[in-house]
Amino acid sequence: MRRDVFQAIADPIRRDIIELLSEEALTVNQVAEQFEISRPAISKHLKILNECGLVTFQPSGRERLCMIQAQELIPAFLWIKQYNKLWEKRIDSFENYIHQLQTKYYESDDRQNTDH
Amino acid sequence: MRRDVFQAIADPIRRDIIELLSEEALTVNQVAEQFEISRPAISKHLKILNECGLVTFQPSGRERLCMIQAQELIPAFLWIKQYNKLWEKRIDSFENYIHQLQTKYYESDDRQNTDH
DNA sequence: TATATATGTAACATTTCGGTTACGCAAATT
DNA sequence: AATTTGCGTAACCGAAATGTTACATATATA
């Protein structure tokens, strides 16, 4: 099955794994320790991350060191980046908006914009 | 249900819808015409995009004009962007790599890096 | 007013996802 | 040699995703 980076980063646990591994390479168990779900579940997430190239493994004895391959994020980065022209149009100050995000980001709101 | 932008853009059809709407606002039917799947399926995709704020609707008579809200991509953009330090470390020429991507991007390869 | 059109949604089927437990096996340790 | 450890995977499960068809409804048109 051909995995896709967009699908890989859609899962919040996989994003957390990426964040962890961006700090340092870790063995599978070291990754699993950071989460509440079972080790096999983490193994599956790592497999998915590996299938789209975002994580590679360096076997060392019975352990496997998991390493992030951040360059695999570039296609997703570029896809999103092409829309910055659009969002910059509507936001007077981009820097200011980012600052707002950092504080208001997770508030709930009603996005629905229609009448019925 | 609280939708999340990462999950919204995980689906290739929804990414295509975003690309379409980034060119111009379209009615629901005009969007649906561009795809092989049924109109109700497109309606659902639009609903998901609306739930995370990426698309809003402007009703006009019995039609609804779908409009992209590109600024909702910013959180995803920033999340990915934080890893550019990592990927720039390993790529001598970033510009050159992008150029390679444009030609070699979709080739299949074997990502598996282990022995067993 | 009767009909056509644009659209949402319910009901349903199928597939995929994300988790679990149980187990197997190779490598390390005792 | 026996045991422990690290890890993959199979079998299974429930929930979520993604599509379909059928139908409801409001608006536009003849």
Side-chain angles (χ1 to χ4, degrees), chain B residues 9-50:
Chain B
I9 64 175
D11 186 278
I13 289 197
R14 287 196 290 269
R15 287 201 300 281
D16 287 347
I17 291 175
I18 289 171
E19 297 203 36
L20 262 179
L21 295 181
S22 75
E23 314 245 330
E24 57 178 334
L26 295 172
T27 68
V28 175
N29 269 346
Q30 285 171 334
V31 173
E33 279 166 14
Q34 305 294 315
F35 298 90
E36 303 223 311
I37 62 176
S38 70
R39 186 195 48 74
I42 294 294
S43 235
K44 285 187 189 177
H45 282 303
L46 287 169
K47 188 179 187 183
I48 289 169
L49 289 168
N50 173 258

Side-chain angles (χ1 to χ4, degrees), chain B residues 31-79:
Chain B
V31 173
E33 279 166 14
Q34 305 294 315
F35 298 90
E36 303 223 311
I37 62 176
S38 70
R39 186 195 48 74
I42 294 294
S43 235
K44 285 187 189 177
H45 282 303
L46 287 169
K47 188 179 187 183
I48 289 169
L49 289 168
N50 173 258
E51 281 168 356
C52 69
L54 271 167
V55 165
T56 53
F57 305 113
Q58 183 185 301
S60 146
R62 65 189 163 185
E63 298 186 331
R64 301 173 93 193
L65 207 53
C66 307
M67 296 170 301
I68 189 77
Q69 301 296 327
Q71 73 279 5
E72 297 298 318
L73 290 169
I74 297 176
F77 177 77
L78 294 176
W79 184 84

Side-chain angles (χ1 to χ4, degrees), chain A:
Chain A
M1 183 190 312
R2 185 67 185 134
R3 294 283 180 182
D4 158 295
V5 173
F6 286 99
Q7 192 236 327
I9 65 177
D11 186 276
I13 291 199
R14 288 196 289 270
R15 288 201 300 279
D16 287 347
I17 291 175
I18 289 171
E19 297 202 37
L20 263 179
L21 296 180
S22 74
E23 315 246 329
E24 56 178 334
L26 295 172
T27 67
V28 175
N29 270 345
Q30 287 171 334
V31 173
E33 279 165 16
Q34 306 294 316
F35 298 90
E36 303 221 311
I37 61 176
S38 69
R39 185 194 49 73
I42 294 294
S43 237
K44 283 188 190 177
H45 282 304
L46 286 169
K47 188 178 187 183
I48 289 169
L49 289 168
N50 172 258
E51 282 168 355
C52 69
L54 272 167
V55 166
T56 53
F57 304 113
Q58 183 185 300
S60 146
R62 64 187 164 186
E63 298 185 331
R64 302 173 93 192
L65 207 54
C66 306
M67 297 170 301
I68 189 75
Q69 301 297 327
Q71 73 280 2
E72 296 298 318
L73 290 170
I74 296 177
F77 177 77
L78 293 177
W79 185 83
I80 298 183
K81 190 180 186 315
Q82 70 182 310
Y83 299 107
N84 67 354
K85 292 169 200 68
L86 286 181
W87 75 58
E88 280 166 5
K89 255 188 217 167
R90 11 180 95 229
I91 298 161
D92 30 291
S93 161
F94 182 43
E95 290 308 307
N96 187 42
Y97 184 78
I98 291 173
H99 181 256
Q100 279 178 39
L101 268 185
Q102 287 166 353
T103 55
K104 299 177 63 180
Y105 196 128
Y106 288 103
E107 282 174 22
S108 74
D109 55 6
D110 186 352
R111 251 62 188 251
Q112 185 64 23
N113 190 17
T114 68
D115 301 337
H116 59 107

Side-chain angles (χ1 to χ4, degrees), chain B residues 79-113:
Chain B
W79 184 84
I80 299 183
K81 189 181 185 314
Q82 68 183 311
Y83 299 107
N84 67 353
K85 293 168 199 69
L86 287 179
W87 76 59
E88 280 167 3
K89 257 188 213 162
R90 7 182 98 228
I91 300 162
D92 30 289
S93 161
F94 183 44
E95 290 308 308
N96 186 44
Y97 183 79
I98 291 173
H99 181 257
Q100 278 177 40
L101 268 185
Q102 288 168 350
T103 53
K104 297 178 66 179
Y105 196 130
Y106 289 104
E107 282 175 22
S108 75
D109 53 6
D110 187 350
R111 253 61 189 250
Q112 187 63 23
N113 191 17

